[in-house]
Amino acid sequence: MERLSNPSLSLQKKNKGVMVPQALVDLTKEPPAWLHYKETLSLFVALEQAGGHCRFVGGCVRDALVGILSDDLDVSTNLIPEDASKRLEKAGFKVVPTGIDHGTITAIKNHRVFEVTTLRIDAETFGRHASVAFTDDWKIDAARRDFTFNALSLDQEGGLHDYFGGQEDLAKGRVRFIGDAGARIREDYLRILRYFRFFARFGNGDPDKNELAQIQKNATSLSRLSRERVTKELWLLLGLDNPVQSLKLMKEYGVFRSLFGVDLFPEYVEALTAVEREKDPVARLLALIGGESNYFRLVQSTLRLSNKTQQRIQSACETELAADLDPHAQKKALYRLGPVVFKDCAMIGALRNSNAPSFKEYLRLAETWSVPEFPVKGRDLVAWGMKPGPEIGKALALLTQIWIDNDFALTADELHKRL
Ligand code: ATP
Ligand code: MG
């Protein structure tokens, strides 16, 4: 994904704190690059020769309107998946039946990837599983989508099709459900989490009170969602430029209480986003749980986190850094914990105890001091005349301690002399 420099978008910045509508890109004058890729042409020609119609749909069209070039290209067509597959294979695409149950195939040519989905109506929904029927009606397909600006489609001539006022909502920064918010949420509770993710990306001003009320009313059913879906969605939110307002709303409207049984700390994520150098979802999750082991256990049992992430967060929750370490003690802690956990602990210390400037000093140290490597290996000790065996380990531990106590400065020769 890439943000294009587009002078017509300069309006979208907040003007002295006052929210102004965002000027959308005129796609007839400035079509997104993907509309004219040669692979796009080849895909459209292949499907049209079989009597099909096709358009780009969903996220890539929405993103193009705000000047973001998406590489996640969704195309819809009225051809059924079997016919579309045959045609595309003939036209030199590699075709994978990625989501054939709901009518989606992936077509790849020259590293360009298109998700091609047959127009459909979600005939019945059971909280999340939708049983599908195909259609050739573009508006029906648009109506099954979640938000008005996610239902936009773009034809090959650059014509934009907007059945539910998605452009206006996007321009005004409104995330609006298509149809009745409560009913749409009850079809798939994940839409609550998607609401807050899209609000973090495109929202402007206060969200609609009625939609928030529907979210609040239905939030307790979030516990029905699979761990995988919740994790994926929350992770996407935590990786965005500014998830803070959404996280605050999620707390206020009972989303965290319903998912994890507790309210969590969006205000810590706010403090973190003000100083962080990179948008790190793990650090943000750690801030969100306030570095509390108890809260981590609740989050851990609801989400599906990688072992690496779990270990990192757990280490940070279980390690307390004192607020008054002198520079040498700071280096010792950094060496012992490693830079990642040391920084995480310093971050949590700084968030919890904003009056203690030392934690900021710790963070500076972690940014500027690259931990030196201990210069002696076991084989050096053997070369110095020691017999291989358990004594080597003890000597290495002793030398490491001497090296640390001497400010990590002694060379191998100097350590040899100490031995
Ligand atoms: P992103 O940029 O995050 O990928 P996206 O809009 O492309 O955003 P996807 O999850 O890739 O989101 O889904 C593609 C499209 O499918 C959406 O734009 C929306 O129209 C539809 N969609 C996806 N998930 C849902 C859902 N849970 N309920 C209704 N429609 C959905
Ligand atoms: Mg997408």
Side-chain angles (χ1 to χ4, degrees), residues 200-201 233-247 256 260 264-292 296 299 303 305 309 312-313 316-317 343-344 347-348 351:
R201 284 190 68 192
E233 203 50 47
L234 194 64
W235 219 246
L236 288 169
L237 172 64
L238 287 173
L240 293 178
D241 278 347
N242 197 350
V244 172
Q245 201 188 347
S246 281
L247 294 172
F256 294 137
F260 307 119
L264 305 184
F265 304 99
E267 52 286 358
Y268 284 157
V269 183
E270 183 169 35
L272 173 63
T273 53
V275 296
E276 68 192 352
R277 283 168 191 256
E278 51 175 350
K279 298 179 269 284
D280 175 0
V282 185
R284 286 166 164 192
L285 180 60
L286 178 60
L288 188 63
I289 59 168
E292 298 277 355
F296 181 52
V299 166
L303 301 181
L305 302 171
T309 298
R312 178 175 156 194
I313 297 183
C317 289
K343 265 199 268 187
D344 285 347
M347 183 263 289
I348 288 297
L351 296 180

Side-chain angles (χ1 to χ4, degrees), residues 14 58 95 100 150 152 178 207 233 272 290 312 396:
K14 287 175 192 170
V95 175
I100 199 73
N150 281 349
L152 296 163
I178 297 170
E233 203 50 47
L272 173 63
R312 178 175 156 194
L396 278 175

Side-chain angles (χ1 to χ4, degrees), residues 6-172:
N6 183 326
S8 62
L9 290 177
S10 55
L11 261 179
Q12 80 191 58
K13 293 278 168 291
K14 287 175 192 170
N15 183 5
K16 290 185 186 152
V18 180
M19 304 292 192
V20 290
Q22 173 163 312
L24 300 181
V25 175
D26 180 346
L27 298 183
T28 51
K29 294 200 185 112
E30 300 171 66
W34 39 255
L35 193 61
H36 299 302
Y37 290 157
K38 65 178 191 303
E39 294 80 9
T40 300
L41 186 66
S42 157
L43 182 115
F44 278 57
V45 166
L47 297 180
E48 276 161 13
Q49 277 174 352
H53 302 285
C54 27
R55 296 180 192 166
F56 284 97
V57 290
C60 62
V61 179
R62 176 202 67 216
D63 287 357
L65 283 168
V66 296
I68 296 170
L69 189 65
S70 174
D71 44 22
D72 198 0
L73 299 177
D74 291 316
V75 171
S76 286
T77 177
N78 57 333
L79 290 186
I80 60 166
E82 291 70 22
D83 291 350
S85 297
K86 267 189 232 145
R87 287 290 166 162
L88 291 171
E89 271 169 357
K90 258 196 205 145
F93 282 84
K94 178 177 178 318
V95 175
V96 188
T98 36
I100 199 73
D101 291 348
H102 48 267
T104 302
I105 57 173
T106 302
I108 307 158
K109 193 177 194 177
N110 305 333
H111 306 291
R112 299 257 190 242
V113 181
F114 302 86
E115 298 259 299
V116 181
T117 304
T118 304
L119 293 176
R120 62 176 221 235
I121 170 169
D122 287 342
E124 281 176 83
T125 51
F126 311 97
R128 53 170 286 203
H129 290 293
S131 84
V132 306
F134 297 136
T135 171
D136 52 10
D137 185 327
W138 287 91
K139 189 169 177 186
I140 287 179
D141 183 81
R144 73 171 169 87
R145 295 169 185 276
D146 44 8
F147 306 111
T148 56
F149 54 48
N150 281 349
L152 296 163
S153 55
L154 188 70
D155 62 38
Q156 220 201 342
E157 287 70 48
L160 190 65
H161 303 265
D162 180 3
Y163 301 102
F164 304 104
Q167 286 177 93
E168 192 189 341
D169 287 337
L170 188 61
K172 294 196 169 150

